[in-house]
Amino acid sequence: MNSPDIKKVLDINEIKQYLPHRYPLLLVDRVLDWESGKTITAIKNVTVNEEFFNGHFPHKPVMPGVLMIEALAQTAALLSFLTEGRKPDENTVVYFVGIDNARFKRPVEPGDQLKMQVEITRRARGIWKYTAVATVDGQVAVEADLMCTMRSAADASQSA
C-alpha cells in the first residue's frame, strides 16, 4: 500500500524515467492514480498527429488494436516498476509474454482519450499477470489479460 507521501500522479517526464519507449511508440501520457501491487489508471490522448493515422486509415483514422494493447502493456510495465520501487536501467528489458482474451469493443479515433486501467492478478517466478481495460468516455474500447516478464539484456540475448 502506498504511504500518504508517495506521489500517485505521474506526468510525461516521470513516465519516461520508467519506460524506455519514445516517440512514436510511447503510448502513455499521464498516470492518474496507482496503488503498489494492485492497480494503475493512466491515459493516452489520441491526436490526429499520431504517425500511424497516415496509413490506418487515411479516409477514416482508427487507432490500430495492436497499439491499444501496447498502451495497456506499457501501463502494466509502469505498475510493475512502481510496485518494485525501482526504475529500469539500460540493462533491463520488459518482454510481453502473453495476451489472452483480447476483445476490441469500440474504435478509437483522433480526439479520443484512452483511459487505461490495469490490475495485477498474479506475480510468480518472474511472470506478472494483469487484467487490463481501456475505455473512451466510459465505453470499453479494448480489454485483455496480459503477461510480462522483466529480464536483464544479457539474459535476454542468451535465451534468444
Side-chain angles (χ1 to χ4, degrees):
M1 183 165 164
N2 290 335
S3 64
D5 59 339
I6 292 180
K7 187 174 178 182
K8 292 187 166 197
V9 175
L10 280 76
D11 65 24
I12 191 63
N13 294 311
E14 293 163 312
I15 289 167
K16 288 164 74 175
Q17 294 175 27
Y18 288 94
L19 293 178
H21 307 80
R22 295 297 179 262
Y23 177 83
L25 210 59
L26 179 55
L27 300 173
V28 181
D29 292 326
R30 178 174 288 278
V31 171
L32 301 176
D33 191 28
W34 63 278
E35 185 175 348
S36 182
K38 295 187 179 184
T39 64
I40 189 169
T41 302
I43 57 171
K44 164 67 178 147
N45 294 308
V46 182
T47 73
V48 75
N49 296 320
E50 308 282 353
E51 191 66 34
F52 52 80
F53 285 136
N54 288 327
H56 199 268
F57 301 99
H59 63 286
K60 175 71 172 148
V62 176
M63 184 175 188
V66 68
L67 293 180
M68 289 188 276
I69 295 289
E70 175 64 23
L72 288 169
Q74 289 179 21
T75 303
L78 276 166
L79 178 57
S80 297
F81 282 119
L82 291 165
T83 294
E84 288 194 342
R86 70 181 180 103
K87 295 177 182 174
D89 58 30
E90 63 277 354
N91 296 316
T92 305
V93 180
V94 179
Y95 286 114
F96 222 156
V97 295
I99 307 167
D100 293 315
N101 304 314
R103 297 290 180 264
F104 301 94
K105 308 274 189 166
R106 174 198 192 283
V108 175
E109 302 170 328
D112 287 343
Q113 185 177 71
L114 201 60
K115 185 175 184 181
M116 300 168 289
Q117 297 176 302
V118 176
E119 178 181 346
I120 296 171
T121 57
R122 187 168 178 210
R123 178 181 172 194
R125 296 188 313 250
I127 302 291
W128 296 69
K129 292 186 177 184
Y130 319 85
T131 58
V133 177
T135 59
V136 174
D137 296 329
Q139 296 179 319
V140 175
V142 60
E143 58 190 5
D145 298 321
L146 309 175
M147 289 184 291
C148 297
T149 189
M150 289 185 227
R151 298 280 187 254
S152 75
D155 291 343
S157 64
Q158 291 174 358
S159 64

